[in-house]
Short mmCIF file of all heavy atoms in Angstrom, two decimals:
data_model
loop_
_atom_site.label_atom_id
_atom_site.label_comp_id
_atom_site.label_asym_id
_atom_site.label_seq_id
_atom_site.Cartn_x
_atom_site.Cartn_y
_atom_site.Cartn_z
N LEU A 1 -72.79 -30.64 -43.60
CA LEU A 1 -72.97 -31.94 -44.20
C LEU A 1 -71.71 -32.44 -44.91
O LEU A 1 -71.34 -33.58 -44.82
CB LEU A 1 -74.20 -31.86 -45.18
CG LEU A 1 -75.56 -31.71 -44.58
CD1 LEU A 1 -76.55 -31.44 -45.72
CD2 LEU A 1 -75.90 -32.84 -43.71
N ASP A 2 -70.99 -31.51 -45.61
CA ASP A 2 -69.73 -31.88 -46.25
C ASP A 2 -68.75 -32.36 -45.23
O ASP A 2 -67.98 -33.31 -45.45
CB ASP A 2 -69.19 -30.77 -47.08
CG ASP A 2 -70.10 -30.39 -48.28
OD1 ASP A 2 -70.87 -31.23 -48.68
OD2 ASP A 2 -69.93 -29.28 -48.81
N ASP A 3 -68.77 -31.67 -44.09
CA ASP A 3 -67.74 -31.99 -42.97
C ASP A 3 -68.10 -33.40 -42.42
O ASP A 3 -67.15 -34.24 -42.17
CB ASP A 3 -67.79 -30.99 -41.87
CG ASP A 3 -66.72 -31.22 -40.81
OD1 ASP A 3 -65.53 -31.42 -41.19
OD2 ASP A 3 -67.13 -31.25 -39.67
N ILE A 4 -69.36 -33.67 -42.22
CA ILE A 4 -69.77 -34.99 -41.77
C ILE A 4 -69.38 -36.08 -42.71
O ILE A 4 -68.84 -37.10 -42.28
CB ILE A 4 -71.33 -35.03 -41.49
CG1 ILE A 4 -71.69 -34.18 -40.25
CG2 ILE A 4 -71.81 -36.46 -41.24
CD1 ILE A 4 -73.16 -33.96 -40.13
N LYS A 5 -69.56 -35.86 -44.00
CA LYS A 5 -69.16 -36.82 -45.02
C LYS A 5 -67.61 -37.04 -44.99
O LYS A 5 -67.17 -38.20 -45.09
CB LYS A 5 -69.64 -36.38 -46.44
CG LYS A 5 -69.37 -37.33 -47.51
CD LYS A 5 -69.83 -36.85 -48.85
CE LYS A 5 -69.56 -37.84 -49.96
NZ LYS A 5 -70.02 -37.38 -51.23
N ARG A 6 -66.89 -35.95 -44.91
CA ARG A 6 -65.37 -36.07 -44.92
C ARG A 6 -64.92 -36.87 -43.64
O ARG A 6 -64.10 -37.81 -43.81
CB ARG A 6 -64.74 -34.69 -44.78
CG ARG A 6 -64.50 -34.11 -46.14
CD ARG A 6 -63.60 -32.86 -45.99
NE ARG A 6 -64.20 -31.75 -45.15
CZ ARG A 6 -65.10 -30.90 -45.61
NH1 ARG A 6 -65.47 -30.96 -46.85
NH2 ARG A 6 -65.56 -29.96 -44.86
N GLN A 7 -65.60 -36.68 -42.52
CA GLN A 7 -65.23 -37.39 -41.27
C GLN A 7 -65.54 -38.84 -41.43
O GLN A 7 -64.82 -39.77 -41.05
CB GLN A 7 -65.86 -36.82 -40.05
CG GLN A 7 -65.41 -35.44 -39.68
CD GLN A 7 -63.94 -35.45 -39.37
OE1 GLN A 7 -63.39 -36.40 -38.70
NE2 GLN A 7 -63.20 -34.52 -39.93
N PHE A 8 -66.75 -39.16 -42.08
CA PHE A 8 -67.12 -40.58 -42.32
C PHE A 8 -66.09 -41.26 -43.20
O PHE A 8 -65.67 -42.39 -42.88
CB PHE A 8 -68.51 -40.59 -42.98
CG PHE A 8 -68.90 -42.01 -43.39
CD1 PHE A 8 -69.39 -42.89 -42.54
CD2 PHE A 8 -68.76 -42.38 -44.76
CE1 PHE A 8 -69.69 -44.20 -42.89
CE2 PHE A 8 -69.08 -43.64 -45.18
CZ PHE A 8 -69.58 -44.55 -44.27
N GLU A 9 -65.69 -40.58 -44.31
CA GLU A 9 -64.77 -41.12 -45.26
C GLU A 9 -63.41 -41.39 -44.57
O GLU A 9 -62.69 -42.37 -44.89
CB GLU A 9 -64.58 -40.23 -46.51
CG GLU A 9 -65.85 -40.17 -47.35
CD GLU A 9 -66.19 -41.47 -48.08
OE1 GLU A 9 -65.29 -42.36 -48.20
OE2 GLU A 9 -67.26 -41.57 -48.59
N LEU A 10 -63.02 -40.53 -43.62
CA LEU A 10 -61.76 -40.69 -42.95
C LEU A 10 -61.81 -41.86 -41.91
O LEU A 10 -60.74 -42.53 -41.71
CB LEU A 10 -61.41 -39.36 -42.27
CG LEU A 10 -60.86 -38.29 -43.14
CD1 LEU A 10 -60.68 -36.99 -42.33
CD2 LEU A 10 -59.56 -38.66 -43.81
N ASN A 11 -62.92 -42.03 -41.26
CA ASN A 11 -62.96 -42.87 -40.01
C ASN A 11 -63.71 -44.16 -40.19
O ASN A 11 -63.54 -45.07 -39.34
CB ASN A 11 -63.59 -42.04 -38.87
CG ASN A 11 -62.71 -40.90 -38.53
OD1 ASN A 11 -61.49 -40.96 -38.40
ND2 ASN A 11 -63.34 -39.69 -38.43
N ALA A 12 -64.65 -44.29 -41.09
CA ALA A 12 -65.39 -45.54 -41.22
C ALA A 12 -64.56 -46.71 -41.75
O ALA A 12 -63.61 -46.50 -42.54
CB ALA A 12 -66.58 -45.25 -42.15
N PRO A 13 -64.89 -47.91 -41.29
CA PRO A 13 -64.17 -49.06 -41.80
C PRO A 13 -64.40 -49.20 -43.32
O PRO A 13 -65.37 -48.80 -43.90
CB PRO A 13 -64.81 -50.25 -41.15
CG PRO A 13 -65.53 -49.61 -39.91
CD PRO A 13 -65.84 -48.21 -40.33
N LEU A 14 -63.32 -49.69 -44.02
CA LEU A 14 -63.38 -49.82 -45.49
C LEU A 14 -64.62 -50.63 -45.97
O LEU A 14 -65.25 -50.25 -46.93
CB LEU A 14 -62.10 -50.50 -45.96
CG LEU A 14 -61.99 -50.72 -47.49
CD1 LEU A 14 -62.20 -49.40 -48.24
CD2 LEU A 14 -60.73 -51.43 -47.84
N GLU A 15 -64.95 -51.70 -45.25
CA GLU A 15 -66.06 -52.49 -45.57
C GLU A 15 -67.37 -51.71 -45.53
O GLU A 15 -68.22 -51.77 -46.40
CB GLU A 15 -66.19 -53.71 -44.67
CG GLU A 15 -67.34 -54.65 -44.97
CD GLU A 15 -67.38 -55.85 -44.02
OE1 GLU A 15 -66.36 -56.53 -43.89
OE2 GLU A 15 -68.44 -56.06 -43.45
N THR A 16 -67.53 -50.85 -44.58
CA THR A 16 -68.73 -50.04 -44.41
C THR A 16 -68.76 -48.99 -45.53
O THR A 16 -69.83 -48.84 -46.20
CB THR A 16 -68.71 -49.31 -43.05
OG1 THR A 16 -68.70 -50.27 -42.04
CG2 THR A 16 -69.92 -48.44 -42.91
N LYS A 17 -67.63 -48.33 -45.80
CA LYS A 17 -67.64 -47.34 -46.89
C LYS A 17 -67.94 -48.02 -48.28
O LYS A 17 -68.65 -47.43 -49.05
CB LYS A 17 -66.27 -46.65 -46.95
CG LYS A 17 -66.04 -45.73 -45.75
CD LYS A 17 -64.80 -44.89 -45.96
CE LYS A 17 -63.57 -45.77 -45.78
NZ LYS A 17 -62.36 -44.95 -45.63
N THR A 18 -67.37 -49.17 -48.52
CA THR A 18 -67.60 -49.86 -49.78
C THR A 18 -69.02 -50.21 -49.95
O THR A 18 -69.63 -50.03 -51.02
CB THR A 18 -66.70 -51.17 -49.86
OG1 THR A 18 -65.31 -50.78 -49.73
CG2 THR A 18 -66.94 -51.93 -51.13
N LEU A 19 -69.69 -50.74 -48.88
CA LEU A 19 -71.06 -51.11 -48.96
C LEU A 19 -71.93 -49.83 -49.19
O LEU A 19 -72.88 -49.86 -50.02
CB LEU A 19 -71.49 -51.78 -47.66
CG LEU A 19 -72.95 -52.19 -47.54
CD1 LEU A 19 -73.36 -53.16 -48.70
CD2 LEU A 19 -73.28 -52.80 -46.20
N MET A 20 -71.63 -48.77 -48.50
CA MET A 20 -72.42 -47.57 -48.69
C MET A 20 -72.28 -46.99 -50.08
O MET A 20 -73.27 -46.63 -50.69
CB MET A 20 -71.97 -46.51 -47.66
CG MET A 20 -72.86 -45.28 -47.64
SD MET A 20 -72.30 -44.02 -46.57
CE MET A 20 -71.63 -42.87 -47.65
N HIS A 21 -71.09 -46.97 -50.63
CA HIS A 21 -70.87 -46.45 -51.97
C HIS A 21 -71.57 -47.34 -52.99
O HIS A 21 -72.17 -46.84 -53.99
CB HIS A 21 -69.43 -46.31 -52.31
CG HIS A 21 -68.77 -45.21 -51.53
ND1 HIS A 21 -69.09 -43.92 -51.59
CD2 HIS A 21 -67.74 -45.23 -50.60
CE1 HIS A 21 -68.36 -43.16 -50.74
NE2 HIS A 21 -67.48 -43.98 -50.11
N GLN A 22 -71.50 -48.67 -52.85
CA GLN A 22 -72.15 -49.56 -53.78
C GLN A 22 -73.67 -49.45 -53.71
O GLN A 22 -74.31 -49.44 -54.69
CB GLN A 22 -71.74 -51.01 -53.52
CG GLN A 22 -72.33 -51.94 -54.48
CD GLN A 22 -71.87 -51.64 -55.93
OE1 GLN A 22 -70.71 -51.57 -56.20
NE2 GLN A 22 -72.83 -51.49 -56.80
N THR A 23 -74.21 -49.30 -52.50
CA THR A 23 -75.63 -49.13 -52.34
C THR A 23 -76.13 -47.81 -53.00
O THR A 23 -77.11 -47.82 -53.70
CB THR A 23 -76.08 -49.14 -50.88
OG1 THR A 23 -75.53 -50.43 -50.31
CG2 THR A 23 -77.54 -49.01 -50.71
N THR A 24 -75.32 -46.77 -52.82
CA THR A 24 -75.68 -45.49 -53.45
C THR A 24 -75.65 -45.59 -54.94
O THR A 24 -76.54 -45.14 -55.67
CB THR A 24 -74.73 -44.42 -52.95
OG1 THR A 24 -74.78 -44.28 -51.58
CG2 THR A 24 -75.03 -43.09 -53.62
N GLU A 25 -74.61 -46.23 -55.47
CA GLU A 25 -74.55 -46.43 -56.95
C GLU A 25 -75.73 -47.33 -57.43
O GLU A 25 -76.28 -47.03 -58.55
CB GLU A 25 -73.20 -47.06 -57.32
CG GLU A 25 -72.99 -47.27 -58.78
CD GLU A 25 -73.03 -46.02 -59.61
OE1 GLU A 25 -72.74 -44.92 -59.06
OE2 GLU A 25 -73.42 -46.07 -60.80
N ASP A 26 -76.03 -48.36 -56.77
CA ASP A 26 -77.16 -49.23 -57.13
C ASP A 26 -78.47 -48.39 -57.24
O ASP A 26 -79.29 -48.49 -58.14
CB ASP A 26 -77.38 -50.31 -56.10
CG ASP A 26 -76.27 -51.41 -56.17
OD1 ASP A 26 -75.48 -51.37 -57.13
OD2 ASP A 26 -76.24 -52.20 -55.25
N LEU A 27 -78.67 -47.47 -56.24
CA LEU A 27 -79.88 -46.60 -56.27
C LEU A 27 -79.90 -45.70 -57.49
O LEU A 27 -80.89 -45.52 -58.17
CB LEU A 27 -79.97 -45.77 -55.00
CG LEU A 27 -80.44 -46.55 -53.80
CD1 LEU A 27 -80.23 -45.68 -52.55
CD2 LEU A 27 -81.88 -46.94 -53.86
N VAL A 28 -78.71 -45.09 -57.73
CA VAL A 28 -78.56 -44.20 -58.90
C VAL A 28 -78.89 -45.01 -60.19
O VAL A 28 -79.66 -44.53 -61.08
CB VAL A 28 -77.18 -43.51 -58.96
CG1 VAL A 28 -76.99 -42.83 -60.35
CG2 VAL A 28 -77.00 -42.59 -57.84
N GLN A 29 -78.31 -46.14 -60.39
CA GLN A 29 -78.53 -47.01 -61.58
C GLN A 29 -79.91 -47.51 -61.63
O GLN A 29 -80.31 -47.82 -62.77
CB GLN A 29 -77.52 -48.16 -61.51
CG GLN A 29 -76.08 -47.78 -61.67
CD GLN A 29 -75.83 -47.03 -62.98
OE1 GLN A 29 -76.28 -47.38 -64.02
NE2 GLN A 29 -75.05 -45.92 -62.86
N SER A 30 -80.71 -47.53 -60.58
CA SER A 30 -82.07 -48.06 -60.61
C SER A 30 -82.99 -47.03 -61.35
O SER A 30 -84.10 -47.42 -61.73
CB SER A 30 -82.59 -48.26 -59.24
OG SER A 30 -82.88 -47.03 -58.54
N GLY A 31 -82.53 -45.80 -61.53
CA GLY A 31 -83.40 -44.75 -62.23
C GLY A 31 -84.25 -44.01 -61.17
O GLY A 31 -85.06 -43.16 -61.61
N ILE A 32 -84.12 -44.31 -59.93
CA ILE A 32 -84.94 -43.57 -58.90
C ILE A 32 -84.78 -42.14 -58.93
O ILE A 32 -85.72 -41.42 -58.60
CB ILE A 32 -84.73 -44.23 -57.51
CG1 ILE A 32 -85.77 -43.83 -56.60
CG2 ILE A 32 -83.35 -43.76 -56.96
CD1 ILE A 32 -85.83 -44.59 -55.26
N MET A 33 -83.64 -41.59 -59.27
CA MET A 33 -83.32 -40.18 -59.18
C MET A 33 -84.25 -39.37 -60.18
O MET A 33 -84.53 -38.20 -60.05
CB MET A 33 -81.92 -39.88 -59.44
CG MET A 33 -80.99 -40.46 -58.38
SD MET A 33 -81.47 -40.00 -56.70
CE MET A 33 -81.11 -38.25 -56.70
N GLU A 34 -84.72 -40.12 -61.26
CA GLU A 34 -85.65 -39.42 -62.18
C GLU A 34 -87.06 -39.30 -61.62
O GLU A 34 -87.87 -38.57 -62.14
CB GLU A 34 -85.65 -40.17 -63.56
CG GLU A 34 -84.39 -40.02 -64.37
CD GLU A 34 -83.31 -40.92 -63.99
OE1 GLU A 34 -83.60 -42.11 -63.68
OE2 GLU A 34 -82.20 -40.52 -63.92
N LYS A 35 -87.32 -40.08 -60.61
CA LYS A 35 -88.68 -40.10 -59.99
C LYS A 35 -88.84 -39.24 -58.73
O LYS A 35 -89.93 -38.95 -58.33
CB LYS A 35 -89.08 -41.52 -59.68
CG LYS A 35 -89.08 -42.40 -60.86
CD LYS A 35 -89.39 -43.86 -60.47
CE LYS A 35 -89.30 -44.75 -61.66
NZ LYS A 35 -89.52 -46.19 -61.27
N VAL A 36 -87.71 -38.85 -58.14
CA VAL A 36 -87.84 -38.11 -56.86
C VAL A 36 -88.22 -36.59 -57.14
O VAL A 36 -88.01 -36.09 -58.19
CB VAL A 36 -86.52 -38.13 -56.05
CG1 VAL A 36 -86.16 -39.53 -55.66
CG2 VAL A 36 -85.39 -37.49 -56.85
N LEU A 37 -88.90 -36.10 -56.14
CA LEU A 37 -89.28 -34.66 -56.21
C LEU A 37 -88.09 -33.79 -56.21
O LEU A 37 -87.12 -34.06 -55.45
CB LEU A 37 -90.21 -34.26 -55.07
CG LEU A 37 -91.68 -34.95 -55.14
CD1 LEU A 37 -92.34 -34.65 -53.85
CD2 LEU A 37 -92.39 -34.53 -56.35
N LYS A 38 -88.06 -32.73 -56.96
CA LYS A 38 -86.99 -31.76 -57.02
C LYS A 38 -87.38 -30.45 -56.27
O LYS A 38 -88.61 -30.28 -56.06
CB LYS A 38 -86.55 -31.43 -58.44
CG LYS A 38 -86.34 -32.59 -59.36
CD LYS A 38 -85.07 -33.34 -58.99
CE LYS A 38 -84.74 -34.42 -60.01
NZ LYS A 38 -85.53 -35.58 -60.11
N ILE A 39 -86.53 -29.69 -55.95
CA ILE A 39 -86.81 -28.38 -55.28
C ILE A 39 -87.83 -27.62 -56.17
O ILE A 39 -87.59 -27.44 -57.38
CB ILE A 39 -85.54 -27.53 -55.07
CG1 ILE A 39 -84.64 -28.25 -53.99
CG2 ILE A 39 -85.87 -26.11 -54.63
CD1 ILE A 39 -83.30 -27.61 -53.81
N GLY A 40 -88.93 -27.18 -55.59
CA GLY A 40 -89.89 -26.42 -56.36
C GLY A 40 -91.05 -27.26 -56.94
O GLY A 40 -92.06 -26.73 -57.31
N ASP A 41 -90.84 -28.60 -56.87
CA ASP A 41 -91.93 -29.47 -57.37
C ASP A 41 -93.16 -29.43 -56.41
O ASP A 41 -92.94 -29.32 -55.20
CB ASP A 41 -91.45 -30.88 -57.47
CG ASP A 41 -90.56 -31.15 -58.66
OD1 ASP A 41 -90.41 -30.24 -59.55
OD2 ASP A 41 -89.98 -32.24 -58.72
N ALA A 42 -94.31 -29.62 -56.95
CA ALA A 42 -95.53 -29.71 -56.17
C ALA A 42 -95.60 -31.15 -55.63
O ALA A 42 -95.36 -32.08 -56.40
CB ALA A 42 -96.76 -29.36 -56.94
N VAL A 43 -95.96 -31.27 -54.33
CA VAL A 43 -96.14 -32.63 -53.80
C VAL A 43 -97.55 -33.08 -54.04
O VAL A 43 -98.55 -32.30 -53.80
CB VAL A 43 -95.88 -32.52 -52.27
CG1 VAL A 43 -96.13 -33.89 -51.62
CG2 VAL A 43 -94.40 -32.10 -51.94
N PRO A 44 -97.72 -34.24 -54.50
CA PRO A 44 -99.07 -34.73 -54.74
C PRO A 44 -99.80 -34.88 -53.41
O PRO A 44 -99.17 -35.10 -52.34
CB PRO A 44 -98.96 -36.15 -55.36
CG PRO A 44 -97.52 -36.51 -55.21
CD PRO A 44 -96.73 -35.28 -54.85
N ALA A 45 -101.15 -34.81 -53.39
CA ALA A 45 -101.91 -34.94 -52.18
C ALA A 45 -101.67 -36.35 -51.59
O ALA A 45 -101.47 -37.34 -52.35
CB ALA A 45 -103.40 -34.73 -52.53
N PHE A 46 -101.76 -36.45 -50.27
CA PHE A 46 -101.47 -37.70 -49.58
C PHE A 46 -102.27 -37.75 -48.32
O PHE A 46 -102.74 -36.74 -47.75
CB PHE A 46 -100.00 -37.90 -49.34
CG PHE A 46 -99.43 -36.87 -48.44
CD1 PHE A 46 -99.44 -36.91 -47.09
CD2 PHE A 46 -98.82 -35.71 -49.00
CE1 PHE A 46 -98.90 -35.93 -46.27
CE2 PHE A 46 -98.23 -34.68 -48.22
CZ PHE A 46 -98.28 -34.81 -46.88
#
């Protein structure tokens, strides 16, 4: 996965990388990371 990310960073157009990084930051700032299941968490019935 780290290798795939490195290759993306080297080869993707700047506009694509900028959009991806901004979207990732927007998700982090939204607070969603506090709501996601973590390793070892029980999944609610669905």
